[in-house]
Amino acid sequence: MLRSKIAGIGHYVPDWVVSNDDLTKVMDTSDEWIQERTGIRERRYGARHQESTSSMGVAAAKIAMENAGVGPEDIDFVIFATLSPDYYFPGCGVLVQRALKMRDVGALDVRNQCSGFIYGLSVGDQFIRSGMYKNILLIGAEFHSMGLDFSTRGRNVTVIFGDGAGAVVLQPTEDENEGVLSTHLHSDGEYAEKLAFINPGSHGGYHLGTDRFGYEDLEFGGVFLTPKMWEEQDLFPNMEGQAVFKIAVQKFPEVIMEALEANGYGISDLDMLIPHQANLRISQFVQKRLQLRDDQVFNNIQKYGNTTAASVPIALCEAWQEGKVKKGDLVCLAAFGSGFTWGSALLRW
Ligand code: UT7
């Protein structure tokens, strides 16, 4: 049976290291609070005006392609997962196609936030299984630090996020001892605004009532961004942290078990869980709930914070580089985040 395998992987994080103490210079927070609640010690920020989400994605993609032994001319489809695209439109996929001087292949952007890489992997896997494509470049990248609120008002969100990129090349395999065994995707839009970047946007107050954004005076004309949004600096991501945490710790174990059970496996068969790096406390909760040993779970949020769509490929790449994911290992990737969306993938490395 034809299925996809990860033929090459790479990651890129920018050079600028921002510690928790660095953040205390601009907002009321502390190293102690951040480490205790999230496990994060530092994160990376991209270089302003010199890097972008797509440029970081390209840097990771070059390494993934080199590891797969392919070049841009071999890629027949691009999938780019991000919530912090260079432009509102067009998406980052076409910018990668241009930067890498690829053929005029299809380029798809995925808007599924923390689950973006898993959603992208599932889409790529279906294209490979159907025989449509033979070399898919899948990228997850974020440049969060360009869009965060660095005042104390935004501290519950801002301290968590970091920048970076991860990429894989997917190729077909008929070897039943390797490749993506299954993917599992879910969503519940009931929680859409619990973790969201609302403005600027075309909602016009539709979901939330108009008075908050000052739409009343703007009957005609562009209302994507209102003066009130600007005056009140209502232009940043918002999160109800505890509500997200509560559902995350339910959905992570569920979707991990769904992947294992779909393939006739149990917890003891799992060699490595690569969870989306949302919060070390969430990973530890999931580990305890599933009774996984320390060597069965990989975490690197301490160094990079939450890099959303990039977190799973960055963690998978580092785990592989450190020899913690080896040929033949049963690996589960799992993510949960804004939407809410969540998902998992089970693969034989
Ligand atoms: O990847 C996408 C999915 N996202 C997640 O999975 C995130 C899930 N949620 C979380 O990780 C946690 O809820 C947070 C880390 C975001 C927050 O931790 P928490 O333990 O839920 O804290 P909290 O929001 O309940 O806030 C507790 C207190 C508040 O002060 P009061 O009202 O008790 O006086 C906050 O104002 O901590 C305050 N606070 C901070 N203090 C210092 C919030 N952020 C900060 C901060 N520094 N950065």
Side-chain angles (χ1 to χ4, degrees):
M1 192 180 68
L2 199 61
R3 59 160 78 113
S4 65
K5 68 168 180 182
I6 294 179
I9 185 164
H11 78 281
Y12 169 83
V13 288
D15 293 336
W16 185 10
V17 179
V18 176
S19 69
N20 294 341
D21 281 337
D22 290 335
L23 293 177
T24 65
K25 291 170 194 149
V26 291
M27 64 178 77
D28 181 10
T29 188
S30 67
D31 178 48
E32 191 191 5
W33 191 97
I34 300 170
Q35 288 217 43
E36 191 185 304
R37 308 277 177 143
T38 71
I40 299 166
R41 292 197 302 267
E42 59 192 35
R43 73 285 294 139
R44 304 295 181 98
Y45 285 173
R48 268 81 187 134
H49 322 301
Q50 289 164 37
E51 295 190 289
S52 72
T53 300
S54 69
S55 81
M56 288 191 263
V58 164
K62 284 181 177 167
I63 301 167
M65 287 190 295
E66 195 183 329
N67 284 334
V70 299
E73 66 285 359
D74 300 309
I75 300 297
D76 43 23
F77 195 64
V78 179
I79 305 175
F80 200 117
T82 185
L83 67 67
S84 52
D86 294 20
Y87 303 135
Y88 194 85
F89 74 84
C92 283
V94 298
L95 304 179
V96 170
Q97 185 273 340
R98 177 173 71 184
L100 290 172
K101 300 185 172 55
M102 290 174 169
R103 292 177 286 124
D104 60 352
V105 300
L108 173 73
D109 272 54
V110 169
R111 295 284 311 271
N112 285 85
Q113 298 70 249
C114 306
S115 316
F117 184 81
I118 308 255
Y119 267 73
L121 181 63
S122 183
V123 171
D125 183 45
Q126 310 314 313
F127 275 133
I128 297 248
R129 281 174 191 257
S130 73
M132 188 154 171
Y133 297 123
K134 293 197 164 37
N135 279 295
I136 296 181
L137 177 61
L138 166 61
I139 300 170
E142 305 288 358
F143 200 160
H144 285 305
S145 64
M146 288 294 269
L148 296 170
D149 180 356
F150 283 92
S151 74
T152 294
R153 189 181 64 169
R155 65 183 178 175
N156 68 317
V157 174
T158 300
V159 301
I160 295 173
F161 291 100
D163 304 338
V168 296
V169 174
L170 299 175
Q171 287 178 351
T173 179
E174 286 188 46
D175 182 346
E176 56 186 41
N177 297 313
E178 64 175 7
V180 177
L181 306 181
S182 63
T183 55
H184 307 270
L185 307 178
H186 297 279
S187 73
D188 187 348
E190 193 58 43
Y191 300 94
E193 288 81 18
K194 297 281 182 207
L195 172 48
F197 198 152
I198 306 274
N199 301 321
S202 61
H203 56 82
Y206 176 76
H207 303 283
L208 304 152
T210 54
D211 31 14
R212 184 174 141 198
F213 305 107
Y215 286 108
E216 294 84 347
D217 308 329
L218 298 164
E219 220 171 282
F220 190 74
V223 289
F224 196 71
L225 173 63
T226 64
K228 196 169 174 205
M229 284 174 198
W230 182 252
E231 278 153 25
E232 296 182 8
Q233 287 288 288
D234 199 349
L235 293 164
F236 297 106
N238 286 294
M239 173 166 67
E240 284 182 40
Q242 291 196 9
V244 181
F245 194 102
K246 207 171 111 196
I247 311 286
V249 295
Q250 284 171 24
K251 297 302 176 189
F252 265 111
E254 266 177 39
V255 83
I256 293 162
M257 289 314 297
E258 184 182 356
L260 286 168
E261 284 165 9
N263 294 281
Y265 292 118
I267 283 292
S268 59
D269 298 305
L270 189 62
D271 293 299
M272 185 56 82
L273 169 67
I274 309 278
H276 160 54
Q277 303 292 294
N279 181 330
L280 190 60
R281 284 169 57 214
I282 293 179
S283 290
Q284 288 166 341
F285 190 98
V286 172
Q287 177 178 347
K288 204 166 157 199
R289 179 84 172 274
L290 296 178
Q291 297 184 300
L292 289 160
R293 299 182 310 272
D294 284 352
D295 64 292
Q296 285 177 295
V297 187
F298 187 83
N299 289 302
N300 61 3
I301 190 170
Q302 301 90 329
K303 294 189 290 181
Y304 303 131
N306 179 343
T307 57
T308 312
S311 97
V312 168
I314 292 175
L316 180 60
C317 189
E318 284 203 343
W320 169 68
Q321 286 170 336
E322 291 172 23
K324 292 178 177 163
V325 167
K326 301 175 294 298
K327 180 129 187 73
D329 280 357
L330 190 64
V331 179
C332 186
L333 314 179
F336 174 90
S338 163
F340 292 153
T341 63
W342 62 102
S344 61
L346 196 69
L347 36 121
R348 198 50 92 183
W349 190 257

